[in-house]
Amino acid sequence: MEASGTDDKVKSMILSAWHNVKYSWVLRTKTYFRRNSPVFLLGKCYHFKFEDSESSPNGSDSGSVTNEDAFGTAEDFRKDFISRIWLTYREEFPLIDGSTWTTDCGWGCTLRTGQMLLAQGLLVHFIGRDWLWPNALDLYRPEADFWLQNSARKLAPIESSYKDIHPYGTESSKPQAAKENEDQNQAAFYHRKIISWFSDHPMADFGIHRLIKLGKHSGKVAGDWYGPAVVSHLLRKAMEDSVDPELQGISIYVAQDCYVFLAFAVYRDDVYDQQDNSDCDKSVLILVPVRLGGERTNTEYFEFVKGILSLEYCLGIIGGRPKQSYYFVGFQDDSLIYMDPHYCQSFVDVSIKDFPLESFHCPSPKKMPFKKMDPSCTIGFYCRNAWDFERVVDELTKVLKSSSKLSYPLFTFVNGHAQDFELDSAPVYEQNDLFTEEEKNRLKSFTTEEFVLL
């Protein structure tokens, strides 16, 4: 037994070293965006048309000015994208309890994409969707640039204009300066606070150590593959267990499989119960596991995915290619825009005052054809209050009806509580159990395929 333990430790160390080398290489591929197609990023629309005469179809800039007023620009898109929190593979963090792992390279990508979706939800909750990181453009690097497709012309004219941009916020008028400074200080506080909740440390509320610990109760260990649905439940449990006072005003709801409706269901009364708490009115992050096809993604669902990512309260999608998880945040034409966790970075000690933030923000977006997307994914939404939830239900119902050409919906909203549709009696909770027996069985049943297609 001792020899076996030593062999496992050596194997783990070799794999860790290999993954650190493999995922520390920066893939410096340029991502191309079409100039004449809108780009959507978590509910916001951007357009990359130039304002000069050459970019206008009839040689004048009048049309492009109208488009620039109607949509955000390429610069606006870059600020917005870089401001999202990027959580990637890390190395040399504290040992994961019960294992020999000090890195998640090669196996933790779905945990990271789940963390990114939750981080976006916390940003919206504490700072708002319109928040932009003041140092976003400072992170821009030419070798990580994205380019525009149109007559082989690239983004150089816009890039040259960056040199004359004043530091963020310096143009504020004096009467507004104090208020803006207060708002910026509060945003900066929560920016760092949110990142600290995802620290690679055993004490972090949503850190990988915490998620692995919760996963043990569903038969998962460090080094295992975690699917989107499993990660959704781990995030929900981590939020429930948090004692941080800042997190008491928010909860996570995960849609449940419903054989009555042949789809995953969001039970409206269960969501209302989470929002109408006796201590305070809670905001709710709704996570919906779905499957967009059988062995491959059905392209009929792309309009649905585009409709979802166009909604302002969408938090993105935990998805990816087969065996590679990505955090999908937007689209252009028939391609998805994503943040990639497959980049190994060094551990950052967030307990240090003014710890560096640069490694938590991605300098460059990536694109992938929708048809290459793995069918198993989880979609996230944010509802600040009950009124928000009603609006979410109305708009999502329209998206589901307008985009679905198949017999069964991807998910549905159901009046009532989940227990109203249970044929068996409600499960009994054990005092020391982190999950109910029903939850354990459900989580254990998830494979890399995630669900049976109905």
Side-chain angles (χ1 to χ4, degrees):
M1 293 295 291
E2 184 177 350
S4 177
T6 303
D7 291 343
D8 289 342
K9 186 174 182 179
V10 172
K11 181 180 178 181
S12 176
M13 292 174 65
I14 293 174
L15 281 174
S16 179
W18 161 243
H19 287 144
N20 288 344
V21 173
K22 178 180 179 181
Y23 294 110
S24 290
W25 289 99
V26 181
L27 194 61
R28 301 185 185 278
T29 56
K30 294 182 176 67
T31 300
Y32 289 82
F33 285 81
R34 295 185 182 277
R35 195 183 348 166
N36 294 316
S37 297
V39 178
F40 286 86
L41 178 66
L42 296 173
K44 289 188 177 292
C45 183
Y46 299 93
H47 212 296
F48 294 170
K49 284 190 176 181
F50 296 105
E51 295 183 2
D52 60 21
S53 58
E54 291 181 36
S55 66
S56 179
N58 35 351
S60 98
D61 61 353
S62 58
S64 63
V65 171
T66 301
N67 284 327
E68 293 293 346
D69 291 341
F71 303 96
T73 64
E75 177 186 325
D76 296 330
F77 171 80
R78 181 175 287 113
K79 287 180 182 178
D80 194 2
F81 179 85
I82 294 177
S83 296
R84 303 313 104 204
I85 292 178
W86 184 39
L87 299 164
T88 71
Y89 289 154
R90 295 279 174 173
E91 61 177 331
E92 299 175 354
F93 53 61
L95 190 72
I96 295 177
D97 186 45
S99 76
T100 56
W101 292 102
T102 59
T103 179
D104 62 316
C105 288
W107 55 270
C109 57
T110 313
L111 293 171
R112 297 300 187 181
T113 54
Q115 287 179 324
M116 283 190 269
L117 186 144
L118 176 54
Q120 175 60 17
L122 295 174
L123 281 176
V124 173
H125 180 71
F126 288 105
I127 311 178
R129 174 63 185 91
D130 294 332
W131 173 80
L132 298 174
W133 183 35
N135 298 335
L137 290 183
D138 295 341
L139 200 63
Y140 164 72
R141 296 193 304 269
E143 67 270 16
D145 193 14
F146 59 90
W147 307 86
L148 303 179
Q149 282 183 331
N150 197 315
S151 304
R153 183 169 180 183
K154 300 179 181 178
L155 209 60
I158 293 180
E159 292 308 322
S160 61
S161 67
Y162 285 172
K163 298 176 183 178
D164 299 325
I165 292 178
H166 295 283
Y168 188 92
T170 56
E171 297 302 309
S172 301
S173 61
K174 288 184 179 180
Q176 297 176 332
K179 177 64 168 62
E180 290 185 359
N181 187 55
E182 180 183 349
D183 292 343
Q184 289 179 9
N185 288 341
Q186 185 178 27
F189 167 79
Y190 279 114
H191 181 200
R192 289 183 178 275
K193 182 72 171 178
I194 291 169
I195 289 175
S196 71
W197 282 325
F198 295 92
S199 170
D200 299 309
H201 189 278
M203 299 301 294
D205 290 81
F206 310 117
I208 197 164
H209 295 74
R210 180 65 180 156
L211 299 180
I212 295 298
K213 183 178 180 180
L214 292 173
K216 288 181 180 179
H217 297 270
S218 60
K220 294 289 187 178
V221 297
D224 282 354
W225 169 261
Y226 293 74
V230 173
V231 171
S232 300
H233 284 279
L234 297 181
L235 294 174
R236 174 189 60 81
K237 194 61 186 174
M239 182 68 79
E240 286 180 3
D241 292 348
S242 174
V243 295
D244 192 313
E246 296 277 5
L247 294 170
Q248 300 314 300
I250 188 169
S251 63
I252 295 177
Y253 175 89
V254 181
Q256 302 178 47
D257 47 342
C258 179
Y259 297 106
V260 176
F261 298 98
L262 298 178
F264 267 70
V266 177
Y267 295 94
R268 298 173 68 160
D269 287 353
D270 288 338
V271 176
Y272 289 136
D273 288 348
Q274 288 190 215
Q275 289 182 314
D276 187 17
N277 187 275
S278 57
D279 297 326
C280 62
D281 292 335
K282 287 193 173 186
S283 299
V284 175
L285 271 62
I286 299 176
L287 304 181
V288 185
V290 296
R291 188 169 181 87
L292 306 177
E295 293 295 321
R296 297 181 179 179
T297 296
N298 187 334
T299 55
E300 296 286 351
Y301 286 123
F302 189 40
E303 290 305 313
F304 163 78
V305 173
K306 290 198 291 187
I308 292 296
L309 291 171
S310 302
L311 301 174
E312 62 178 324
Y313 45 79
C314 177
L315 299 177
I317 300 173
I318 306 171
R321 302 172 187 260
K323 287 295 186 179
Q324 279 191 316
S325 186
Y326 300 143
Y327 174 41
F328 295 117
V329 294
F331 67 92
Q332 184 184 45
D333 296 328
D334 292 337
S335 294
L336 292 164
I337 300 169
Y338 65 93
M339 298 174 72
D340 190 353
H342 300 89
Y343 175 45
C344 188
Q345 303 189 87
S346 296
F347 166 72
V348 174
D349 185 357
V350 300
S351 66
I352 299 174
K353 184 179 180 181
D354 296 331
F355 63 87
L357 296 168
E358 288 75 15
S359 67
F360 296 101
H361 292 276
C362 182
S364 177
K366 291 188 177 182
K367 290 174 69 178
M368 183 190 83
F370 173 77
K371 62 183 179 181
K372 293 186 178 181
M373 181 182 181
D374 188 277
S376 295
C377 60
T378 290
I379 306 169
F381 308 100
Y382 173 77
C383 303
R384 188 171 294 277
N385 48 41
W387 182 86
D388 247 10
F389 177 59
E390 282 300 318
R391 189 164 62 100
V392 167
V393 172
D394 290 341
E395 293 192 28
L396 280 177
T397 300
K398 293 176 183 177
V399 171
L400 287 165
K401 287 181 178 179
S402 64
S403 60
S404 178
K405 298 180 180 178
L406 303 178
S407 301
Y408 301 107
L410 286 172
F411 63 93
T412 187
F413 292 94
V414 180
N415 292 323
H417 296 88
Q419 65 183 21
D420 298 338
F421 298 88
E422 297 280 346
L423 297 179
D424 299 328
S425 59
V428 178
Y429 288 80
E430 297 292 338
Q431 183 177 0
N432 296 321
D433 257 356
L434 289 177
F435 294 94
T436 66
E437 286 302 319
E438 181 185 6
E439 288 173 331
K440 289 179 182 177
N441 293 333
R442 183 179 295 162
L443 290 174
K444 287 178 181 178
S445 69
F446 288 131
T447 65
T448 54
E449 293 300 322
E450 292 297 323
F451 313 109
V452 177
L453 181 65
L454 298 173

